[in-house]
Amino acid sequence: MDATRGIGTFVVWDYVVFAGMLLISAVIGIYYAFAGGGQQTSKDFLMGGRRMTAVPVALSLTASFMSAVTVLGTPSEVYRFGAIFSIFAITYFFVVAISAEVFLPVFYKLGITSTYEYLELRFNKVVRLCGTVLFIVQTILYTGIVIYAPALALNQVTGFDLWGAVVATGVVCTFYCTLGGLKAVIWTDVFQVGIMVAGFASVIIQATVIQGGINTILNDCYNGGRLNFWNFDPSPLQRHTFWTIIIGGTFTWTSIYGVNQSQVQRYISCKSRFQAKMSLYINLLGLWAILACSVLCGLALYSRYHDCDPWTAKKVSAPDQLMPYLVLDILQDFPGLPGLFVACAYSGTLSTVSSSINALAAVTVEDLIKPHFRSLSERSLSWISQGMSVLFGALCIGMAALASLMGALLQAALSIFGMVGGPLLGLFALGILVPFANSIGALVGLMAGFAVSLWVGIGAQLYPPLPERTMPLSLETYGCNSTYNVTNWVTTTEMPFSTSAFPVHNVGRTPLMDNWYSLSYLYFSTLGTLVTVFMGMLISLPTGGRKQNLDRRFLLTKEDFLSNFDIFKKKEHTVSYNSHPVEDSGTDNPAFNHIELNFPDQSGKMSGTHL
């Protein structure tokens, strides 16, 4: 690599591509504001009128989950810690299966707008309020990071204006969320997934061409110890091992997929339960594709800089900037392509932020406004939902300003999700899976789980774990023939990596810090969930949990699982469906039958293989 030739900068075309992406997103919002009679009711606005089909919803789930934190964070994660990150492919499978078979059936048959409505149905108002408040705080914090992270990284490498970008993305997002509601969110996400794949593809293809084929890349990575797929160390203190990723990762992501309002809201907006399940399983393919892309980008990044690490050589000031640096390095001869990559990172941001704003609006309207002001008409609720979207958009931009004070991004984001998501997941698991859990147990469990999560999470932020726990691989700079002496090459294995904004320096390590606070960040969520479930069961039994008479609909029943196989029995039942009076059958049967009557045989085969 010719190190004397500098990396490129942004040219007019790049700005054009980027502006085009924002413009198309805004246009989709305007279209859905007026298409089909606009947003008549709050249900239209928040749920897309429950008329969505599987594929757009699946792409939308993929998009909102793949924020810019993924686009910029995962490749540098692979660059520094190796490809063991790709074990998440197995985790995603478990997560999707659990969401589709445990949480989705219950939420779908109850026909709720906000997942926290379920908590009131199953427990009581107080539990619902706790869940709602936790969700709102968590989402606003997270969204702040998501807006700020890419803006900062891209600003420092490309000179793209920092606050201009933050405000532009925030405003465009708020704009199409407010006008178009959930339909606009879903369709802009579909468009943005396309942009993200295009951005990733351009980087991977060009890197492969420059490095001389995929084999060179894999050889470099193999020699640098980056292909470390198998690490079966059972210790829960190591940051990423096979077990922490499978067990901890499953809990962390299930708290996002199974019970997080911004995801659940989308698959509940499907027109039937079959479509909702299909959307989750199709979305699994999307997750795998994006994971493969980002891991490949990380390997390409290592192959390109294996003898001259820009981070150690002080060319970039944080690992998050490695990806934009690579883009300007290899795509500088193609005006517009660096812009495409920036658009790719920002599509990630936009899709995540828009779903967060829509979910926050839904939760606020359903959980905080509707119960207290019963007299509001649908029309005014729709207006209030739009007002809420504007408010939360502004709040998230404000949070981005706060995020500028926080430490390393990917980990901070996941830590927040782990700390808050774990106990919430435990709360829903108690409700759906434990028939004898009652509201006292649920509240005590939630508090206990939250206390333990916060204790570990904040401890880990203050006393970051030692490098032998996180195991960063070595980065070399001996190949940099720039102004450096060849003699002072360094490997940065010793470089302590702190995820925190306030590390406490040179303090004696106590056993508490070395063991308890060094817990892998993926286990924060697991810990919160298990403590919540365990405490909830313990407290529910003596406080009369067995005596309550529950509606079976609030629990996961055998029928929910067996109904997957209705498709195989449809030949005999075509007639008997109509013989049931519709009132009895509740919401579950009609949701299934009109699909089965329309689809020929291959649908039976398709869903058969999926289960």
Side-chain angles (χ1 to χ4, degrees), residues 458-502:
I458 292 177
Q461 289 275 335
L462 291 181
Y463 308 103
L466 299 169
E468 59 262 26
R469 292 273 177 254
T470 54
M471 299 183 301
L473 303 169
S474 64
L475 304 166
E476 315 283 343
T477 51
Y478 62 83
C480 297
N481 50 359
S482 49
T483 55
Y484 283 90
N485 276 342
V486 188
T487 51
N488 84 357
W489 61 279
V490 269
T491 64
T492 55
T493 6
E494 293 82 36
M495 187 151 184
F497 171 62
S498 147
T499 57
S500 96
F502 333 97

Side-chain angles (χ1 to χ4, degrees), residues 18 22-23 25-27 29-30 143 147 162-180 188 192 346 349-350 353-354 357 386 389-398 400:
F18 180 64
L22 288 179
L23 192 69
S25 300
V27 168
I30 298 174
T143 313
I147 296 182
L162 177 64
W163 291 105
V166 167
V167 174
T169 40
V171 167
V172 168
C173 234
T174 312
F175 176 75
Y176 70 74
C177 284
T178 307
L179 280 181
T188 44
Q192 284 154 2
Y346 273 110
T349 303
L350 281 173
V353 174
S354 60
I357 291 177
Q386 292 181 322
S389 297
V390 175
L391 174 73
F392 281 118
L395 260 179
C396 290
I397 297 178

Side-chain angles (χ1 to χ4, degrees), residues 356-367:
S356 299
I357 291 177
N358 196 276
L360 285 166
V363 166
T364 315
V365 169
E366 288 293 323
D367 295 346

Side-chain angles (χ1 to χ4, degrees), residues 347-378:
S347 305
T349 303
L350 281 173
S351 57
T352 309
V353 174
S354 60
S355 55
S356 299
I357 291 177
N358 196 276
L360 285 166
V363 166
T364 315
V365 169
E366 288 293 323
D367 295 346
L368 302 176
I369 293 175
K370 251 190 195 169
H372 297 118
F373 305 98
R374 304 247 169 217
S375 56
L376 291 170
S377 70
E378 273 300 336

Side-chain angles (χ1 to χ4, degrees), residues 33 57 79 81 137 152 330 351 390 397 572:
V57 172
Y79 177 72
F81 298 100
V137 170
L152 178 69
I330 63 179
S351 57
V390 175
I397 297 178
E572 309 92 86

Side-chain angles (χ1 to χ4, degrees), residues 7 21 33 57 74 127 130 132 147 175-176 187 209 264 267 290 332 415 430 433 455 462 532 535 546:
I7 63 166
M21 190 267 305
V57 172
T74 312
V127 180
C130 285
T132 308
I147 296 182
F175 176 75
Y176 70 74
W187 284 104
V209 171
V264 174
Y267 56 67
I290 300 254
Q332 54 184 349
S415 306
L430 267 178
L433 302 173
W455 179 26
L462 291 181
T532 304
M535 287 299 290
R546 297 188 149 248

